[in-house]
Amino acid sequence: MLEQRIQQHFVDSADLKYQWADALARPVADASQALLTCVTNGGRIMLCGNGASGALAQYMAALLVGGMERERPELPALALGTDVATFTAAARRGEFADAFAAQLRALGQPGDVLVVLSSNGRAANLVRAAEAAQEREMVVIGLTGAGGGELGRLLRDTDVHVCVPHERPTRVHECHQLVLHVLCDNLDQQLLGDEEIAT
């Protein structure tokens, strides 16, 4: 019984990724282009999320700075909220829901990119972060699920929305991690040229 349940998790995750590969290819390509434009023009990539999405934001920042599978120069990336002193000071000045936004108002510049990860797009602090990035003339890449929520609705034509059409947060997080890998691979390919993907 336990082994069947384990196998079902693998099947469900693979099915979701296979089912939506075509539909998500275009927005992921648009997100790749936005990141490439940012780094080649001297901009910075900032990332944020809550809980598991926050861990994924830190993970992508690590891949951008440290590299994924290929040797390349470091890319300027920062996961917001990881500096506890700054994060709590920003929250103390107003309220917790404004902590990411405060960091973006302090650090964001036109041409920078904010990557926001949320399994449902409803968290107030992430919505405010996206609004602050838009005010700073940054491009916002929203990785969401469950229809995108308020975060998905506020994204402009110049922003990018990659929405995994699923209600279950664990499945959305699994797809978001794959998207992050694809984005990093696309950046490497565009900056360094083609290389065969190791299997």
Side-chain angles (χ1 to χ4, degrees), residues 8-62:
Q8 193 61 51
H9 276 289
F10 279 86
V11 169
D12 290 348
S13 183
D15 281 350
L16 178 62
K17 292 167 186 164
Y18 182 77
Q19 179 182 357
W20 291 100
D22 286 344
L24 295 179
R26 179 74 263 158
V28 172
D30 292 341
S32 296
Q33 187 57 51
L35 294 176
L36 178 67
T37 300
C38 173
V39 298
T40 56
N41 288 329
R44 293 177 295 180
I45 300 167
M46 298 179 211
L47 306 100
C48 64
N50 295 323
S53 294
L56 287 173
Q58 291 182 54
Y59 177 58
M60 184 173 182

Side-chain angles (χ1 to χ4, degrees), residues 70 188-190 192-196:
R70 300 174 66 180
D188 288 352
Q189 186 274 328
Q190 291 174 91
L192 303 173
D194 290 325
E195 181 179 88
E196 283 191 29

Side-chain angles (χ1 to χ4, degrees), residues 48-50 80 87 90-106 114-118 121-138 140 148-152 154-155:
C48 64
N50 295 323
L80 301 175
F87 190 68
R92 184 175 50 92
R93 290 185 59 204
E95 56 182 295
F96 177 76
D98 202 42
F100 287 134
Q103 289 184 287
L104 285 158
R105 288 191 296 269
L114 173 66
V115 179
V116 185
L117 296 104
S118 175
R122 295 194 301 258
N125 63 335
L126 300 180
V127 171
R128 290 189 189 183
E131 291 170 338
Q134 290 172 338
E135 291 167 8
R136 300 293 287 167
E137 298 179 34
M138 297 170 63
V140 178
E150 178 66 21
L151 177 60
L154 72 84
L155 296 178

